[in-house]
Amino acid sequence: MTLAQQLNARLSESPWWQRWQRLEPRERRSLSLLAVFLLVTLCYLLLWQPAQQRVGEARAYFQQERELYAYLQQNTELARQMSRSNVVTLAPEQLQGLVTQSAPQHGLLIESYDMGSEGTLQVSLSGASYAVLLRWFDELQAAGAGVAEVSLSRAGEGLVDARVSFRANG
């Protein structure tokens, strides 16, 4: 007996199939149309509608990115001009004074410092608040001292031991 014959035999023994066979042709047609309608409705709700929503979201995202790109293209030259005009220069010999004077103002204790060969200043701090350290870096950068290299290790909750190399922008 082939697989098709086995399936046919099981189908004809099924109570659902026997009940379907006892229905009037008009009832079978009505139930078939109802099944087709439900299938189409489910396909629409589960496949088509979510896909259309995602396409709409993708189009909106694309439009938003296109507007951002246009804005960036329009303002590229302005940004270049602003970056050139806001550069603060600091002489390398002023770097040590700036760093050592500003650290105590932020409550930072410099353990040691060493002038590097290329005009860099290496500073070691212990037990410094990470948030305060970031604000200090920002202030130094605004004054013309760039951070060349940073090495941090955790010293406690919100505290770090830091080894920082600064360089003068100028």
Side-chain angles (χ1 to χ4, degrees), residues 4-161:
Q5 291 171 338
Q6 287 176 355
L7 288 175
N8 226 358
R10 284 202 175 158
L11 182 62
S12 62
E13 293 171 5
S14 167
W16 289 98
W17 182 254
Q18 291 172 3
R19 187 167 182 181
W20 176 261
Q21 293 300 324
R22 287 192 302 260
L23 290 175
E24 295 287 325
R26 180 179 52 94
E27 292 172 331
R28 277 192 234 163
R29 189 173 33 252
S30 297
L31 285 175
S32 296
L33 288 173
L34 178 62
V36 168
F37 172 75
L38 290 175
L39 182 64
V40 168
T41 303
L42 283 174
C43 285
Y44 174 77
L45 292 175
L46 297 176
L47 300 174
W48 186 258
Q49 188 179 25
Q52 287 301 97
Q53 286 176 339
R54 285 186 183 83
V55 165
E57 291 168 2
R59 283 187 179 139
Y61 178 74
F62 176 74
Q63 184 61 31
Q64 190 177 23
E65 291 298 313
R66 178 185 273 172
E67 290 170 3
L68 176 61
Y69 178 75
Y71 173 79
L72 291 174
Q73 289 297 320
Q74 286 176 340
N75 295 303
T76 301
E77 190 55 39
L78 177 63
R80 285 186 184 133
Q81 290 172 358
M82 289 178 67
S83 69
R84 282 186 231 123
S85 66
N86 290 339
V87 174
V88 176
T89 57
L90 179 71
E93 55 272 1
Q94 297 173 318
L95 180 62
Q96 181 179 347
L98 175 67
V99 171
T100 56
Q101 288 175 2
S102 65
Q105 295 171 356
H106 288 274
L108 299 170
L109 178 63
I110 296 178
E111 285 186 341
S112 65
Y113 60 90
D114 184 32
M115 287 302 290
S117 60
E118 299 153 5
T120 61
L121 175 66
Q122 294 181 350
V123 177
S124 295
L125 304 139
S126 68
S129 168
Y130 182 71
V132 170
L133 197 62
L134 290 178
R135 284 193 295 273
W136 184 51
F137 290 165
D138 193 39
E139 180 183 303
L140 288 173
Q141 194 159 10
V147 177
E149 189 176 330
V150 178
S151 173
L152 301 174
S153 60
R154 187 176 179 157
E157 188 65 36
L159 300 176
V160 293
D161 292 334

